[in-house]
Structures are given as structure tokens and as C-alpha cells.
Amino acid sequence: MIWLLAALLVLLAAAGAPLFAVLGALALIGFHQAGQDGVAVAVEFYRLSDMPALIAIPLFTLAGYLLAESAAPRRLVRLTNALVGWLPGGLAIVAVLACTLFTAFTGATGVTIIALGAVLYPALRQAHYGERFALGLLTASGSLGLLLVPSMPLILYGVVAQQFHTTPPVSIDALFKAGVLPCLLMVVLLGLYSAWHQRGIARPPRASAGELWAAFKDAAWEIPLPFLILIGIYSGRLAASEAAAATALYVLVVTVLIRREIALGELPRVIRQAMVLVGGILVILGFSLAITNWLVDAEVPEKLFGLLNTHIPPDKPFLFLLALNLFLLVFGMLLEGFPAIILLVPLVLPVALKYGVDPVHLGIIFLANLQLGIFLPPLGINLYLASARFGRPVTVLVRAAVPFFLILLAATLIVTYWPALSLWLARPATP
């Protein structure tokens, strides 16, 4: 009976029912079937108040929204263009770097395409980049940055994974460190492809000393921000929540009081928009934690492992990782980042541990695949956002994104089968 009801709820979700309502119904049905009181669901919401890592989510979200409302995207593009725009494929490298940094701070790939696409697409076309190349590059680059501090999906994965008290443990700081080299690999590969694609085309002159200095002065208040976070976290002086508080305060002071790009009268609107997103995440997360406890009590992960074990022996984790990549690609296409993390981590993490996968490495694999699924045809959400932003049919975007998808797929496979790339900074003692 419960599986019939679960199937019905999944159909309702596919028909557009709110995700929090579907998750709440699943949690209540599960606990009722197990003979437990529905108050167990309310207890999980109370537990949210006892999770220090959650403080980082609203603070980083507020900082991202403030940056998106300001002129920071324009200054970021100007600075990166002055620094690397003269290289082979320089403007494409500018686009990749700008999209990566902007997505890392906002945690929303769609915002990146909408906010930066209006600036970067005309610039790429004016610099004689082909239409298909420019469309594919921006569609793919919009999802970069989910692995880079202070990405909110990384924080969310850490919060959910910590409920399993894994060995070795999962910390937000370790996830932030683990995402740096994989993200750098993807940026470098896209940069190299861009340079190869533009071979033989005349390069723009190197930015003059005056322009470089003007770009630095223009972005003088934004430049210290990544270093504040990176040095604070990687040196161990700041926890993720402390870095989030420092970031939110810094961005608030700069955008509202120093640059005055957001009027005081507009500040409540921006805060409200940011907290609506946070509130939705917390409601979904509360129900997800309840479902996680029910899954553990019902030994669903153990049963799933038993099913997999008949086809993929525990001594062949590479086969499990290959199946995991395919699984995450499909669900990354069907679900947006936050729901995919909240719904899938409780099922995947316990099984992955039995195959010997480090939970921090799993988090990087998880988000690397979600980055791909977001623009995987035919349902990847970024294809439709890019179609709306650039006024091109989805079929054109699909064809344009293929080479970039293949490059990022290769990078994801490297990340998957080379754990040291993720764990070298996160767990220095890991061989």
C-alpha cells in the first residue's frame, strides 16, 4: 500500500505539486506505516535549529543576492577581461571565469545565465566568436561554480551527509577544500578548448596599463572577497558559518553603504527575496531529514545495497561509480540541484560507503554530475533558461552545448576515478 501511495505522490510531483508537500506526505506516510507518531516529523524541524552549519546558508544566500543586484557582475567581467582577454580564446576564458565565480557566490546557475549572459554573449559575438560556440559556452559555464567555495549546494550536501555520522566524517570546510581542484580542472579544460577553437583568429591587444589599473580600481571592493573566504577557511581561522557571516557583512557594507548601488529602501526587498529561497530550502530540508530517518529505520539503503550487490560486487567499486554517474546524470536532468541533493543523498551515501567511497569525494562526484545534468538534453533546466535569455530554440542550444558537455563529462570521470584530486586538500593524509 505504501509503495502505491509513494508512486501516486511521485506522479503528483511530476504534475507540478510543490516538492515540500510531496516530501511531507511521504514522511508522514512512512512513519505511520512504521507505527510511529507523526510528531517525529516535527522533531526533525526542531533539529534544524541545532545545526551550526545551516547558519551559512542564509548568510551566503544574502551575499549572493546583494552581489547580483549590484554592478558587481559588470566589474567582474571587466577585470577578468583586462587580465586574460588578450590570451588565445581570452574572452571565452573571461566568460568561464566570470560564470564560475558568480555561480559560486549566488549558488544559482540560472541567475548566472540571466545576469552575465546579457553582458558576455554580445561581447563574444562582437569578438568574432561563432554563435553556436558562444551559446554553448555560456549554457555550460552557467553551471560551473557549484564545486567552488562558498557554493550553497556544497553546504547542503554537507548538512544532509552529516546526519549519517560517517567515518571518515564530512565537514563543510573539507567539502570547500575538496571542490577547488576539480573545479579548476573543469575551468582549465574549457579554457584550453576555447583557445584551440579560436586558433588562427587575431587576438585583441593586451590591456593597457591604464585600463588594467582602472579595472582593478573599479573592482577594488570585490577583489578581497574571495581571499577573505579562501584564506579564512583554508587556514582554519574561520569556520564555514563564520566565513558566511563575514562575507554577508562585507557585501552588505560595500553594496549599500560604500558603493550605494542598493538603496536602503530596496534592501528589505532583496533580503525578502533571499530569505524566501532560504525558507523554501529549510522546509524541504526538514521533511527530507524526516524521510532520511524513516529510510534508515526501514533499512532501505541496506536493501538497496543488497540488490546492487547481486550485480556489482563490493570489490569492484569502479563499476558502482560508473553506475552512480549514469544515475546522477539522469536525476540531475530531472531535478534541480537542491531537490536532487536532498532527495538522493540519503539513498546514495550509505550504499557508496559500503563500496568504500569517501563521503567527501562522493559529494564532489555528486555535484560534478549535477552540473552536467543541469544542461543535459532534453530536460536540463539551463537549456530552457538559456533559450529564454538568448532567444534561441532549445534544439539550437542542445547542439551548441554538446562539445562542452563532452569536455565536462571527461572532467567528471577524472574526478570520479581519481579521488586524490578531491581529497588532496580536504584530507592531506589520504593516499
Side-chain angles (χ1 to χ4, degrees):
M1 180 63 177
I2 186 171
W3 298 111
L4 179 60
L5 290 172
L8 176 61
L9 290 171
V10 170
L11 289 176
L12 288 174
L19 181 62
F20 77 90
V22 174
L23 292 177
L26 279 173
L28 290 170
I29 292 170
F31 280 113
H32 176 75
Q33 186 74 12
Q36 299 185 38
D37 199 302
V39 73
V41 177
V43 170
E44 296 305 321
F45 276 91
Y46 177 78
R47 286 181 57 217
L48 290 177
S49 63
D50 196 33
M51 295 181 181
L54 277 184
I55 298 174
I57 292 180
L59 293 172
F60 276 134
T61 302
L62 175 60
Y65 267 74
L66 289 170
L67 287 172
E69 289 283 331
S70 71
R74 177 189 57 78
R75 290 189 290 269
L76 176 63
V77 171
R78 182 185 182 187
L79 177 60
T80 52
N81 190 44
L83 288 172
V84 300
W86 56 274
L87 293 171
L91 189 57
I93 297 172
V94 168
V96 172
L97 291 173
C99 290
T100 300
L101 292 173
F102 196 72
T103 299
F105 275 98
T106 62
T109 62
V111 173
T112 298
I113 291 175
I114 292 170
L116 294 185
V119 177
L120 292 170
Y121 180 71
L124 288 167
R125 296 291 289 128
Q126 187 176 2
H128 307 293
Y129 286 80
E131 180 186 41
R132 179 175 294 188
F133 177 88
L135 291 172
L137 178 72
L138 294 176
T139 302
S141 299
S143 65
L144 291 178
L146 296 184
L147 295 174
L148 192 63
V149 56
S151 165
M152 193 159 48
L154 271 179
I155 299 172
L156 199 57
Y157 172 86
V159 169
V160 176
Q162 285 171 356
Q163 307 312 304
F164 292 88
H165 306 287
T166 60
T167 302
V170 177
S171 71
I172 306 300
D173 296 354
L175 287 168
F176 281 166
K177 295 175 182 177
V180 172
L181 294 180
C183 183
L184 182 61
L185 171 67
M186 296 177 182
V187 169
V188 168
L189 289 180
L190 287 181
L192 291 174
Y193 174 71
S194 299
W196 175 83
H197 185 272
Q198 289 300 101
R199 66 194 185 282
I201 296 179
R203 288 182 277 163
R206 188 191 295 260
S208 66
E211 168 59 18
L212 187 59
W213 175 243
F216 267 103
K217 284 200 302 182
D218 195 26
W221 288 105
E222 284 80 16
I223 291 172
L225 190 55
F227 298 100
L228 170 70
I229 301 172
L230 293 171
I231 295 174
I233 290 178
Y234 294 166
S235 67
R237 295 181 181 275
L238 294 177
S241 56
E242 295 168 335
T247 301
L249 178 61
Y250 183 90
V251 172
L252 181 66
V253 170
V254 169
T255 56
V256 177
L257 300 180
I258 297 177
R259 292 196 181 274
R260 298 184 180 180
E261 292 176 340
I262 299 177
L264 283 173
E266 287 293 300
L267 190 57
R269 175 186 62 82
V270 178
I271 295 175
R272 182 175 64 252
Q273 289 177 345
M275 292 309 107
V276 165
L277 173 62
V278 172
I281 292 172
L282 293 181
V283 170
I284 293 172
L285 182 58
F287 284 127
S288 174
L289 294 179
I291 292 176
T292 298
N293 279 346
W294 170 68
L295 290 174
V296 172
D297 291 342
E299 299 182 342
V300 172
E302 286 77 6
K303 294 174 183 175
L304 181 59
F305 173 71
L307 179 63
L308 283 174
N309 195 28
T310 60
H311 302 285
I312 305 176
D315 61 346
K316 294 184 178 179
F318 63 94
L319 290 178
F320 168 74
L321 291 173
L322 180 60
L324 178 63
N325 280 328
L326 295 173
F327 174 79
L328 292 177
L329 277 177
V330 172
F331 276 90
M333 175 184 62
L334 297 175
L335 297 171
E336 294 182 52
F338 298 143
I341 293 169
I342 291 170
L343 288 173
L344 301 180
V345 170
L347 284 174
V348 172
L349 179 58
V351 177
L353 291 174
K354 293 182 182 296
Y355 281 95
V357 181
D358 186 289
V360 169
H361 180 216
L362 177 67
I364 304 305
I365 295 172
F366 214 98
L367 291 181
N369 279 280
L370 291 184
Q371 281 186 169
L372 287 172
I374 286 173
F375 68 100
L376 176 65
L379 300 176
I381 186 64
N382 273 14
L383 293 172
Y384 296 90
L385 290 173
S387 174
R389 168 69 270 184
F390 303 121
R392 298 293 187 276
V394 173
T395 52
V396 172
L397 271 299
V398 169
R399 290 193 295 270
V402 167
F404 301 94
F405 177 85
L406 295 176
I407 292 169
L408 293 178
L409 176 61
T412 298
L413 291 175
I414 293 172
V415 170
T416 299
Y417 291 105
W418 187 15
L421 186 66
S422 303
L423 301 178
W424 184 58
L425 293 176
R427 306 195 196 279
T430 302

Short mmCIF file of all heavy atoms in Angstrom, two decimals, residues 3 23 45 75 82 108 151 153 161-162 171 173 183 185 198 237 264 268 301 314 320 334 372 392-393 413:
data_model
loop_
_atom_site.label_atom_id
_atom_site.label_comp_id
_atom_site.label_asym_id
_atom_site.label_seq_id
_atom_site.Cartn_x
_atom_site.Cartn_y
_atom_site.Cartn_z
N TRP A 3 3.84 1.68 -1.12
CA TRP A 3 4.51 1.93 -2.40
C TRP A 3 3.54 2.50 -3.42
O TRP A 3 3.92 3.31 -4.27
CB TRP A 3 5.14 0.64 -2.92
CG TRP A 3 6.20 0.11 -2.00
CD1 TRP A 3 6.17 -1.00 -1.24
CD2 TRP A 3 7.46 0.74 -1.72
NE1 TRP A 3 7.32 -1.14 -0.51
CE2 TRP A 3 8.13 -0.08 -0.78
CE3 TRP A 3 8.07 1.91 -2.17
CZ2 TRP A 3 9.39 0.24 -0.29
CZ3 TRP A 3 9.33 2.23 -1.68
CH2 TRP A 3 9.98 1.40 -0.75
N LEU A 23 7.20 15.70 -0.15
CA LEU A 23 8.12 15.14 0.85
C LEU A 23 7.43 14.99 2.21
O LEU A 23 7.63 13.99 2.91
CB LEU A 23 9.35 16.05 0.99
CG LEU A 23 10.29 16.11 -0.22
CD1 LEU A 23 11.41 17.10 0.03
CD2 LEU A 23 10.86 14.74 -0.51
N PHE A 45 12.27 19.05 12.30
CA PHE A 45 12.34 20.50 12.11
C PHE A 45 13.00 21.16 13.32
O PHE A 45 13.75 22.14 13.16
CB PHE A 45 10.94 21.08 11.88
CG PHE A 45 10.48 20.97 10.47
CD1 PHE A 45 9.77 19.86 10.03
CD2 PHE A 45 10.75 21.98 9.54
CE1 PHE A 45 9.35 19.76 8.72
CE2 PHE A 45 10.34 21.88 8.24
CZ PHE A 45 9.63 20.77 7.82
N ARG A 75 31.68 44.61 -13.21
CA ARG A 75 33.06 44.85 -12.79
C ARG A 75 33.89 43.58 -12.87
O ARG A 75 35.07 43.61 -13.21
CB ARG A 75 33.08 45.41 -11.37
CG ARG A 75 32.56 46.84 -11.28
CD ARG A 75 32.81 47.42 -9.90
NE ARG A 75 31.96 46.81 -8.89
CZ ARG A 75 30.76 47.26 -8.55
NH1 ARG A 75 30.25 48.34 -9.16
NH2 ARG A 75 30.05 46.66 -7.61
N ALA A 82 40.47 42.38 -18.64
CA ALA A 82 41.74 43.10 -18.64
C ALA A 82 42.91 42.17 -18.32
O ALA A 82 44.01 42.35 -18.82
CB ALA A 82 41.69 44.25 -17.62
N ALA A 108 23.21 29.78 -7.76
CA ALA A 108 22.09 29.60 -8.69
C ALA A 108 22.59 29.74 -10.12
O ALA A 108 22.98 30.83 -10.54
CB ALA A 108 21.01 30.64 -8.41
N SER A 151 29.85 27.75 -2.43
CA SER A 151 28.68 27.16 -3.08
C SER A 151 27.67 26.62 -2.06
O SER A 151 28.01 25.81 -1.20
CB SER A 151 29.13 26.03 -4.00
OG SER A 151 28.05 25.22 -4.37
N PRO A 153 25.07 24.56 -2.70
CA PRO A 153 24.85 23.11 -2.82
C PRO A 153 25.88 22.28 -2.06
O PRO A 153 25.54 21.23 -1.51
CB PRO A 153 24.96 22.87 -4.33
CG PRO A 153 24.50 24.15 -4.94
CD PRO A 153 25.04 25.21 -4.03
N ALA A 161 24.67 14.96 4.62
CA ALA A 161 25.61 13.85 4.85
C ALA A 161 25.99 13.73 6.32
O ALA A 161 26.24 12.61 6.81
CB ALA A 161 26.87 14.06 4.00
N GLN A 162 26.02 14.84 7.05
CA GLN A 162 26.39 14.78 8.46
C GLN A 162 25.38 14.01 9.31
O GLN A 162 25.73 13.55 10.41
CB GLN A 162 26.55 16.20 9.01
CG GLN A 162 27.84 16.88 8.55
CD GLN A 162 27.90 18.34 8.91
OE1 GLN A 162 26.95 18.92 9.46
NE2 GLN A 162 29.02 18.98 8.61
N SER A 171 32.74 17.35 6.78
CA SER A 171 32.64 18.71 7.30
C SER A 171 32.49 19.67 6.14
O SER A 171 32.94 19.39 5.02
CB SER A 171 33.87 19.08 8.14
OG SER A 171 35.01 19.24 7.32
N ASP A 173 33.92 22.53 5.82
CA ASP A 173 35.25 23.02 5.46
C ASP A 173 35.97 22.05 4.52
O ASP A 173 36.62 22.46 3.55
CB ASP A 173 36.10 23.24 6.72
CG ASP A 173 35.52 24.32 7.62
OD1 ASP A 173 34.55 24.97 7.20
OD2 ASP A 173 36.02 24.50 8.74
N CYS A 183 37.13 21.81 -9.67
CA CYS A 183 36.59 22.98 -10.36
C CYS A 183 37.67 23.61 -11.25
O CYS A 183 37.40 24.00 -12.40
CB CYS A 183 36.08 24.00 -9.34
SG CYS A 183 35.31 25.45 -10.09
N LEU A 185 40.15 22.07 -12.64
CA LEU A 185 40.32 21.19 -13.79
C LEU A 185 39.30 21.51 -14.88
O LEU A 185 39.64 21.61 -16.08
CB LEU A 185 40.18 19.73 -13.35
CG LEU A 185 40.12 18.69 -14.47
CD1 LEU A 185 41.47 18.62 -15.20
CD2 LEU A 185 39.75 17.31 -13.91
N GLN A 198 39.65 29.04 -31.10
CA GLN A 198 39.90 30.36 -31.68
C GLN A 198 41.29 30.47 -32.32
O GLN A 198 41.75 31.58 -32.59
CB GLN A 198 39.76 31.43 -30.60
CG GLN A 198 38.32 31.66 -30.15
CD GLN A 198 37.43 32.12 -31.28
OE1 GLN A 198 36.67 31.33 -31.84
NE2 GLN A 198 37.51 33.39 -31.64
N ARG A 237 41.23 29.49 10.24
CA ARG A 237 40.89 30.58 11.16
C ARG A 237 39.38 30.82 11.22
O ARG A 237 38.87 31.35 12.20
CB ARG A 237 41.61 31.86 10.73
CG ARG A 237 43.12 31.78 10.85
CD ARG A 237 43.77 33.09 10.43
NE ARG A 237 45.23 33.00 10.52
CZ ARG A 237 45.93 33.22 11.62
NH1 ARG A 237 45.31 33.55 12.74
NH2 ARG A 237 47.25 33.12 11.61
N LEU A 264 18.82 51.95 0.57
CA LEU A 264 18.30 51.39 1.82
C LEU A 264 16.84 50.97 1.67
O LEU A 264 16.40 49.98 2.26
CB LEU A 264 18.44 52.42 2.95
CG LEU A 264 19.84 52.60 3.54
CD1 LEU A 264 19.87 53.76 4.52
CD2 LEU A 264 20.29 51.31 4.22
N PRO A 268 15.12 45.87 2.05
CA PRO A 268 14.13 44.87 2.51
C PRO A 268 13.65 43.94 1.40
O PRO A 268 13.43 42.75 1.63
CB PRO A 268 13.00 45.74 3.05
CG PRO A 268 13.65 47.02 3.44
CD PRO A 268 14.73 47.23 2.42
N PRO A 301 18.42 1.68 2.60
CA PRO A 301 19.76 1.64 1.98
C PRO A 301 20.38 0.24 1.99
O PRO A 301 21.04 -0.15 1.02
CB PRO A 301 20.57 2.61 2.84
CG PRO A 301 19.56 3.55 3.41
CD PRO A 301 18.35 2.69 3.67
N PRO A 314 31.13 -5.76 -4.08
CA PRO A 314 31.80 -4.68 -3.34
C PRO A 314 33.27 -4.51 -3.70
O PRO A 314 33.83 -3.45 -3.45
CB PRO A 314 31.63 -5.11 -1.87
CG PRO A 314 30.47 -6.04 -1.86
CD PRO A 314 30.50 -6.74 -3.18
N PHE A 320 30.46 0.42 -9.62
CA PHE A 320 29.46 1.18 -8.87
C PHE A 320 29.55 2.67 -9.22
O PHE A 320 28.53 3.33 -9.41
CB PHE A 320 29.66 0.98 -7.37
CG PHE A 320 28.88 1.96 -6.54
CD1 PHE A 320 27.51 1.83 -6.39
CD2 PHE A 320 29.52 3.04 -5.92
CE1 PHE A 320 26.78 2.75 -5.64
CE2 PHE A 320 28.80 3.96 -5.17
CZ PHE A 320 27.43 3.81 -5.03
N LEU A 334 16.46 15.69 -14.37
CA LEU A 334 15.05 15.73 -13.99
C LEU A 334 14.79 16.66 -12.82
O LEU A 334 13.70 17.23 -12.70
CB LEU A 334 14.57 14.32 -13.64
CG LEU A 334 14.62 13.29 -14.77
CD1 LEU A 334 14.24 11.91 -14.25
CD2 LEU A 334 13.70 13.71 -15.91
N LEU A 372 26.47 18.70 -14.80
CA LEU A 372 26.22 18.22 -16.15
C LEU A 372 24.72 18.05 -16.42
O LEU A 372 24.22 18.41 -17.47
CB LEU A 372 26.93 16.89 -16.38
CG LEU A 372 28.44 16.93 -16.53
CD1 LEU A 372 29.01 15.52 -16.56
CD2 LEU A 372 28.83 17.66 -17.81
N ARG A 392 16.82 31.80 -28.49
CA ARG A 392 17.12 30.77 -29.49
C ARG A 392 16.33 29.50 -29.12
O ARG A 392 16.09 29.22 -27.94
CB ARG A 392 18.61 30.45 -29.53
CG ARG A 392 19.50 31.60 -29.91
CD ARG A 392 19.27 32.03 -31.36
NE ARG A 392 20.24 33.02 -31.78
CZ ARG A 392 20.14 34.33 -31.56
NH1 ARG A 392 19.09 34.79 -30.89
NH2 ARG A 392 21.06 35.17 -31.98
N PRO A 393 15.95 28.68 -30.10
CA PRO A 393 15.24 27.43 -29.79
C PRO A 393 16.10 26.49 -28.96
O PRO A 393 17.34 26.50 -29.05
CB PRO A 393 14.96 26.83 -31.18
CG PRO A 393 15.08 27.98 -32.13
CD PRO A 393 16.09 28.91 -31.54
N LEU A 413 34.55 12.32 -15.10
CA LEU A 413 35.08 10.96 -14.99
C LEU A 413 36.47 10.97 -14.33
O LEU A 413 36.79 10.08 -13.53
CB LEU A 413 35.16 10.32 -16.37
CG LEU A 413 33.80 10.01 -17.02
CD1 LEU A 413 33.99 9.49 -18.43
CD2 LEU A 413 33.02 9.01 -16.18
#
